[in-house]
Amino acid sequence: MKFHPTLKARQKESGRRPFLLAALALAWSAIPARAEPDLDPGGLTFKDFAVSDNGTSFNQVNPMIGSGAQPTQSKVLHIDSAGGFARIRFASIRTEVAMPLGWQAQEDWERGSGFSADKRYRLIVWRVDFAFEGVNDAEHYAATKVGAIQARKPGTRAQARKLSDGTFLVVYQNVPGEGEPRAVFDLVVPQPGQAKQGVLMTLGVPGSDAERGLRLMALLKQNLRIDW
């Protein structure tokens, strides 16, 4: 499978590359044939994850991204103090996301990122070229990644499922982390009419916050805007 040499130092929360071909046959059965309902925030809103600071945190840039990247502050399109979120534009990947107030947002040439003040909640958004990754489409990508992560990180439990709108959710539990295992959620969004392209949104949270993290992923998904 192809591997871009400049990205070797950057594979942390999302574990994008390299995939393990040997895991493909085992992973392919991980996605149910019947699509499941969409994610549900369970009554939570961005205010349940926010800090009431009127968006001042988004004026900061923290060198969160790994070595070699040059992060820049992302554009804030709108602050909704009543709703507890800010709408952020990642210009480099032509994508808009909503983040809880109190977070920070930045980007480099290939991805956008956001994180809570204590960095326990972390978000990364990428563009994905499925052909470059050595897979056929979004479903193939999600299924392959399940097997790859479980093979690379023994003890991690992973499952992929197709949602009713055609996106794919991959849930990882017991992922090694700082201080305690983490839960990681991948949302793989295929480009309409173009099976070879898509967007990957990854949210990592402490394992003890897995249920809340899934609710937050539902909110992030509902507010995701992609310029295809």
Side-chain angles (χ1 to χ4, degrees), residues 11-66:
Q11 310 315 313
K12 295 183 180 179
E13 195 77 64
S14 71
R16 291 172 66 200
R17 306 185 182 94
F19 285 154
L20 302 181
L21 289 174
L24 177 57
L26 178 63
W28 188 248
S29 62
I31 300 180
R34 180 173 59 85
E36 300 187 22
D38 203 355
L39 297 179
D40 183 356
L44 298 186
T45 70
F46 280 112
K47 293 183 69 174
D48 292 292
F49 303 92
V51 175
S52 298
D53 67 350
N54 295 317
T56 58
S57 63
F58 291 100
N59 294 323
Q60 306 173 40
V61 174
N62 190 310
M64 182 78 176
I65 299 178

Side-chain angles (χ1 to χ4, degrees), residues 28-207:
W28 188 248
S29 62
I31 300 180
R34 180 173 59 85
E36 300 187 22
D38 203 355
L39 297 179
D40 183 356
L44 298 186
T45 70
F46 280 112
K47 293 183 69 174
D48 292 292
F49 303 92
V51 175
S52 298
D53 67 350
N54 295 317
T56 58
S57 63
F58 291 100
N59 294 323
Q60 306 173 40
V61 174
N62 190 310
M64 182 78 176
I65 299 178
S67 60
Q70 297 297 323
T72 59
Q73 183 177 339
S74 297
K75 182 178 182 180
V76 179
L77 300 178
H78 176 67
I79 298 292
D80 188 329
S81 295
F85 68 89
R87 179 159 290 281
I88 306 298
R89 170 78 177 179
F90 292 135
S92 61
I93 55 172
R94 306 186 309 281
T95 302
E96 294 178 14
V97 300
M99 294 184 193
L101 296 183
W103 283 38
Q104 295 180 38
Q106 59 193 48
E107 60 190 285
D108 63 14
W109 63 276
E110 69 162 354
R111 60 185 170 181
S113 68
F115 41 92
S116 60
D118 58 10
K119 300 182 179 63
R120 297 173 75 241
Y121 282 56
R122 304 170 191 166
L123 175 72
I124 303 177
V125 187
W126 314 75
R127 288 275 173 164
V128 183
D129 182 330
F130 297 124
F132 177 82
E133 301 287 356
V135 295
N136 298 327
D137 51 26
E139 180 173 3
H140 195 179
Y141 179 89
T144 303
K145 191 170 181 182
V146 167
I149 294 298
Q150 289 183 130
R152 289 166 52 190
K153 300 180 182 294
T156 297
R157 302 185 302 276
Q159 184 179 22
R161 56 185 170 125
K162 185 177 183 179
L163 303 179
S164 57
D165 62 355
T167 59
F168 296 87
L169 175 70
V170 188
V171 178
Y172 310 92
Q173 294 179 293
N174 202 37
V175 180
E178 306 90 348
E180 71 169 292
R182 292 177 64 77
V184 178
F185 307 96
D186 275 348
L187 183 73
V188 187
V189 184
Q191 179 174 340
Q194 174 53 271
K196 298 297 184 182
Q197 303 291 327
V199 164
L200 170 65
M201 181 165 65
T202 297
L203 174 67
V205 304

